[in-house]
Amino acid sequence: MNKDIEEIILSEEDLNALCRRLGEQITKDYAGKEPLFIGYMKGALPFMTELLKRVDLKCTLDYLRIKSYEGTESTGKIRVIGDLPDVKGKDVIIVEDILDTGNTLSASMELFKEANSVKIVVLLDKFEARKFPIEADYVGLKIPKKFVVGFGLDYNENYRNLPYVGVLKKEVYM
Ligand code: IMP
Ligand code: MG
């Protein structure tokens, strides 16, 4: 384990099982449809990759570059970088690493006004941290309000490559 990690909350095996469960659920729910998966970069990259392997549907994928976080506190704003995917008439499934205050997801919903439908899948849900009224349709794991890294999640751009999700030691950012 990386020396900066206090506790592992999702091991590689846990992540595999979680992605399989969510992928099978989405496969059932979207039978006969061709959803468009939109990953919020960069955090959703490993999760989206593993999840899509478990989705047995004809589907397409795209991504959105959104920034909302500096350090370990939500800044209350989002910034979209680059082009928006074409979502007109599509059944969009947003793929996000973590739902925290809800700022990123609630602020970005207006980008999908032209979609036929929009659902949200998140790897992690910090359910006690919500400040904006938004919930995910598919949740990998509900977690307490602790700062976590790995499997895409970063602290100042580091730790995204850890193959597990773990709680970052406070002394790393305090
Ligand atoms: P929200 O807008 O407050 O819901 O925050 C969502 C975004 O904040 C996510 O896309 C993450 O990039 C980031 N974030 C929230 N909590 C954590 C965490 O514990 N570790 C790493 N990034 C986090
Ligand atoms: Mg993110």
Side-chain angles (χ1 to χ4, degrees), residues 28-165:
K28 263 194 212 148
D29 294 352
Y30 283 80
K33 297 189 177 148
E34 283 185 35
L36 165 62
F37 289 85
I38 301 183
Y40 283 15
M41 295 296 111
K42 299 165 244 179
L45 188 57
F47 176 44
M48 176 136 127
T49 307
E50 290 306 310
L51 176 68
L52 285 183
K53 288 191 210 166
R54 309 297 185 180
V55 171
D56 187 9
L57 293 169
K58 192 173 176 191
C59 62
T60 52
L61 64 107
D62 211 327
Y63 62 89
L64 202 57
R65 286 197 65 197
I66 293 221
K67 274 207 84 159
S68 69
Y69 237 52
E70 308 290 343
T72 58
E73 289 298 323
S74 218
T75 54
K77 292 174 278 203
I78 61 160
R79 197 154 57 87
V80 177
I81 305 162
D83 294 340
L84 291 174
D86 176 17
V87 297
K88 199 165 180 177
K90 304 262 173 71
D91 292 307
V92 171
I93 303 179
I94 296 171
V95 186
E96 172 64 315
D97 52 3
I98 189 166
L99 179 51
D100 184 22
T101 65
N103 175 50
T104 309
L105 283 168
S106 64
S108 61
M109 289 317 266
E110 61 153 6
L111 305 172
F112 305 108
K113 278 190 298 231
E114 302 214 304
N116 181 53
S117 68
V118 185
K119 283 197 181 183
I120 299 170
V121 50
V122 294
L123 174 64
L124 302 168
D125 179 6
K126 274 193 209 173
F127 62 102
E128 301 156 325
R130 211 77 82 246
K131 292 188 188 147
F132 300 84
I134 188 140
E135 296 302 331
D137 301 281
Y138 303 96
V139 174
L141 185 69
K142 291 191 185 212
I143 63 163
K145 263 169 96 171
K146 288 184 177 173
F147 195 79
V148 293
V149 294
F151 201 62
L153 290 141
D154 73 306
Y155 171 61
N156 287 345
E157 295 300 328
N158 289 123
Y159 308 103
R160 291 195 197 274
N161 59 320
L162 296 180
Y164 50 81
V165 176

Side-chain angles (χ1 to χ4, degrees), residues 10-29:
L10 285 170
S11 67
E12 285 191 69
E13 295 81 58
D14 296 336
L15 287 163
N16 274 331
L18 183 161
C19 290
R20 191 176 315 119
R21 171 173 62 81
L22 293 176
E24 287 173 359
Q25 189 63 52
I26 291 170
T27 302
K28 263 194 212 148
D29 294 352

